[in-house]
Every structure is written in C-alpha cells, then in structure tokens.
Amino acid sequence: MAEDADSDQKTEQPTAKRQSEATKTGDVLQSRELGTALVVMVGAGWIALAGPWMMTSLQTMLQHALMFDFSAIENFKPGKALADRIAEVAVPLLSLFGLTLLAAIGAPALLGSLGFRWGAIGFKADKLNPLQGIKKIFGVQGLIELGKSMAKVLLLGAVGIWVLMHQSDELMTLGRQQIIPALGQLGYVFVFSVLVMAFALVLIAGIDVPAQILQRGARLRMTKQEVKDEAKQTEGSPEMRAAIRRRQQETIKGSARGAIAEATVVLTNPTHFAVALRYRPGFDAAPIVVARGRGATAEAIKELAAEQDVPMLRYPELTRAIYYTTRAGQIIREDLYIAVATVLAFVFNIETALAEGVTQPTVDVPRDVRFDEDGRKAN
C-alpha cells in the first residue's frame, strides 16, 4: 500500500519528453511581470533620452500646422498636409514602437520560451467548462495571482506616494514659473516618476520569475510510474528501437571487425545466431571461435563477413552447438571436430566446388550438443 501511495506522488523531475510535450501545447515558462517591466523600462529610457527629440518634433509639427500663407490656401491639399505633419513625428514614434516591441519579444526570449506554437491556440473543451473557470479563480493558482496583484498594487502605490512626496516642492512651485521652465520641470518630474516605477516593476519581476519557474516545475513533475511508462513507450517506439539497433551494430562492428577479418568461415542459424571460425593449417591446432553472437550481434557479424568476403554457410544445428559450448577465443569441442572439418574442407575448395556445382555438405551434430534457440538440449 505504501508503494502505491508513493507511486501516485509527483516526486520525479520532468523528463525531456514531458517538457517538450508541454512546450508544444503552450505550457512554457512565462512572466507577465517581466514583460511589463521590460517594456516600461525601455519606454522610460526612451523618454529620458529621446524625450527632447520628440518634443522638438511636436513643436515643429505644431508650428508648421499653424503657419500658412495665400499659396497654402490656393493650393490646399489636405492629404499632403496631413502626411507632412505625420512625417515630422513618425521617426521618433516608430523608434519608440520598435524598441518596446523588441522589449516585449525579449521577455519570452530571456525565459527560453520564444516561439509560436499551434498547440497553444488549439480548441480546448475544458476552457468552456464554467466549473473549471471557477476552480481557476478560487483555486490555489487563483489565490496566488490575487496575492501577486495585491502586492503589486501596494508596492506601486507606495512608490507612487513616495515619488509625489519627494517631488512635492517642485510641483508646488510650477504655478509661479513661466510656461517654458514649468514645462521643463514637469517633464523632469514625469521622467523621474516613470523611471522609479519601472525599477519597482523590475523588482516585482525579479520575484515573479523564480516563482514561475517553481510553479512550472511543480506542474510538470511526474510520478515514478509515469516515468517508467514513458521509458517503456520511448524504448518501444520503432524510431528508438532502430536507433538502439544502429548503436548496437556500430559498437559490435567496432569490436568484432578485426576478429572477422581473421575468420575462415561464418556459420549462421541463419537468423538468430552467427559463429565465426578461424583455422590456419600449421598455425592453429584446431578451429577457434573468433566471434559469436545472437540477435543484433549475429547481424553485425554477418554484415562484417559480407563486407570482408568471408564465406557464410547455413548450418543451424552446428551453429547453435558451437555457440552454446564454446566462447570466443576458445577451441571448439572435440566431438565437433568432424563436423567442422567437413565444413572447412568445403570452404578451402569452395571456388572449385561452386564451379562444379557441388552443394555444401551435410554434417552430423552429436546429439549431446544439439540445442534449440533457447539453449535447451534437443530431445
């Protein structure tokens, strides 16, 4: 019972597959507070640096709009006049738009969630369920969002009050100043206020981003059973099996290539087993097994034999007998000498035998070393 309870608890970190699937459906790391903070920061910086440029452009536009002569009335073209006035302020406005757009894109880019995902805009029936909506509002996530909103209002309100108190003397003296100096002082107070509020938003984002990371991590956590099931599904997919098979083949080929190059003949089952034998008269006292394998290893041995033109002969019983009684690097059993010698005699004269139409000889495997595919002795 305790094991079942543990298996239902989400204690495991999300796998790469789980994270990838969540990203495809739109469940990505995101922070509205970070996006707002970046946009406001960029806007505040633009006001501080390019504000005079914008004011000059507006002044120029207003002067040109209010100045006219007889020719302007006689040849009045409202479309051209409107276009000219817009052009005078278009460049600073476009620069502001471009910078704030980059800031808006920069927020998801910093969080590694930049990109368009069709799964995020797909139809989800649960979103039409009013009970789900109520659960979101009054659930844990809804309470967290409510707390964040209240904290943001309190912080920004406190910052706003501080700014007003800090700038109260300057604001009180605006009425006693001339219009130009008063506008300049008002612009300074406005820029200062926006910058301070932007820094407050950055502080909020600095708290929100780690919170979003923790929330998403908890949301994507998996139970031990989910991890096991995913591993089974992944390993069972045709693509994964093919990739594993390729890796096995490459590993096996790398270690067996030299041994197969020395082989005299490769005996096959023909599908499940393969045994590579070497016999060099005057050097080897008896035939030696240089490589043996089943399944993927057998396939690799046969592929290497084909690449290196090593003769391959089908002898199911003899192949299994050697596989289950002899390891690589060992001499074959004495009771298999006759069967193997018959095969080797054919191999040494294989070109002549094939030219004369002689088929491979039949061999007799002793009953004591006859095995089925599972290694059980045949009856």
Side-chain angles (χ1 to χ4, degrees):
M1 295 294 291
E3 292 182 359
D4 294 339
D6 291 340
S7 63
D8 293 335
Q9 295 180 356
K10 294 187 175 185
T11 58
E12 305 303 309
Q13 292 294 334
T15 61
K17 184 174 182 291
R18 178 67 170 266
Q19 292 178 339
S20 176
E21 290 177 349
T23 299
K24 290 178 180 178
T25 57
D27 187 354
V28 295
L29 183 62
Q30 53 187 341
S31 171
R32 288 177 293 181
E33 315 303 335
L34 178 61
T36 303
L38 288 179
V39 171
V40 174
M41 278 292 294
V42 169
W46 183 91
I47 292 173
L49 298 176
W53 176 30
M54 183 64 188
M55 294 302 296
T56 301
S57 299
L58 288 172
Q59 182 180 1
T60 302
M61 182 188 71
L62 185 60
Q63 289 175 347
H64 289 168
L66 297 177
M67 293 173 58
F68 59 92
D69 53 15
F70 179 78
S71 62
I73 298 175
E74 185 179 14
N75 301 314
F76 180 60
K77 296 179 180 179
K80 183 177 183 302
L82 180 62
D84 290 341
R85 300 295 78 78
I86 293 176
E88 290 172 344
V89 294
V91 175
L93 286 177
L94 287 175
S95 67
L96 174 61
F97 175 77
L99 290 174
T100 52
L101 179 62
L102 289 176
I105 296 174
L110 289 174
L111 298 176
S113 56
L114 181 64
F116 182 80
R117 299 165 183 87
W118 286 104
I121 62 174
F123 175 75
K124 296 180 178 63
D126 60 339
K127 289 187 176 181
L128 300 178
N129 188 346
L131 295 178
Q132 290 291 336
I134 295 174
K135 183 178 179 181
K136 288 182 180 179
I137 295 174
F138 297 101
V140 176
Q141 186 63 32
L143 293 176
I144 292 174
E145 293 298 325
L146 176 61
K148 284 167 50 180
S149 299
M150 293 180 63
K152 183 164 59 174
V153 170
L154 291 174
L155 177 60
L156 294 179
V159 171
I161 293 173
W162 177 83
V163 169
L164 289 175
M165 293 179 63
H166 185 268
Q167 300 293 328
S168 59
D169 294 339
E170 287 79 0
L171 293 173
M172 294 297 293
T173 59
L174 289 177
R176 297 193 297 268
Q177 298 180 20
Q178 296 183 359
I179 185 66
I180 299 299
L183 287 176
Q185 185 65 29
L186 183 62
Y188 168 78
V189 172
F190 175 73
V191 171
F192 176 78
S193 302
V194 172
L195 286 173
V196 172
M197 299 295 281
F199 280 112
L201 287 172
V202 170
L203 178 62
I204 295 173
I207 299 173
D208 182 62
V209 170
Q212 293 295 332
I213 294 174
L214 293 176
Q215 288 180 23
R216 185 172 186 266
R219 191 165 59 247
L220 296 183
R221 279 183 176 275
M222 306 171 66
T223 64
K224 292 182 179 180
Q225 187 60 43
E226 287 175 336
V227 174
K228 293 179 181 178
D229 292 343
E230 182 182 298
K232 290 179 181 178
Q233 293 175 1
T234 303
E235 292 175 357
S237 65
E239 296 81 4
M240 183 58 67
R241 288 201 302 268
I244 293 174
R245 186 181 181 85
R246 285 195 299 271
R247 287 197 296 270
Q248 289 176 338
Q249 294 275 355
E250 292 171 359
T251 302
I252 294 166
K253 284 183 178 181
S255 60
R257 190 175 299 276
I260 301 303
E262 298 179 357
T264 305
V265 65
V266 171
L267 306 180
T268 66
N269 187 42
T271 56
H272 301 91
F273 297 86
V275 175
L277 301 176
R278 184 194 73 197
Y279 180 67
R280 290 178 291 183
F283 181 81
D284 296 322
I288 298 175
V289 176
V290 293
R292 59 189 279 274
R294 64 184 301 175
T297 306
E299 291 296 328
I301 291 173
K302 288 188 287 186
E303 288 181 13
L304 287 172
E307 291 175 5
Q308 303 184 31
D309 295 327
V310 177
M312 282 188 290
L313 301 177
R314 176 181 175 179
Y315 284 101
E317 283 190 346
L318 181 58
T319 302
R320 292 195 297 268
I322 297 174
Y323 177 85
Y324 283 116
T325 60
T326 311
R327 295 182 180 180
Q330 293 181 341
I331 295 175
I332 63 172
R333 287 170 52 119
E334 292 184 5
D335 51 0
L336 295 175
Y337 278 4
I338 296 177
V340 173
T342 303
V343 174
L344 290 175
F346 175 76
V347 170
F348 289 144
N349 298 281
I350 192 169
E351 293 183 0
T352 303
L354 293 176
E356 296 177 354
V358 178
T359 59
Q360 67 182 58
T362 301
V363 298
D364 183 41
V365 177
R367 183 171 294 276
D368 290 343
V369 289
R370 293 179 184 176
F371 299 91
D372 61 14
E373 293 182 356
D374 296 323
R376 294 187 295 265
K377 285 191 176 182
N379 295 327

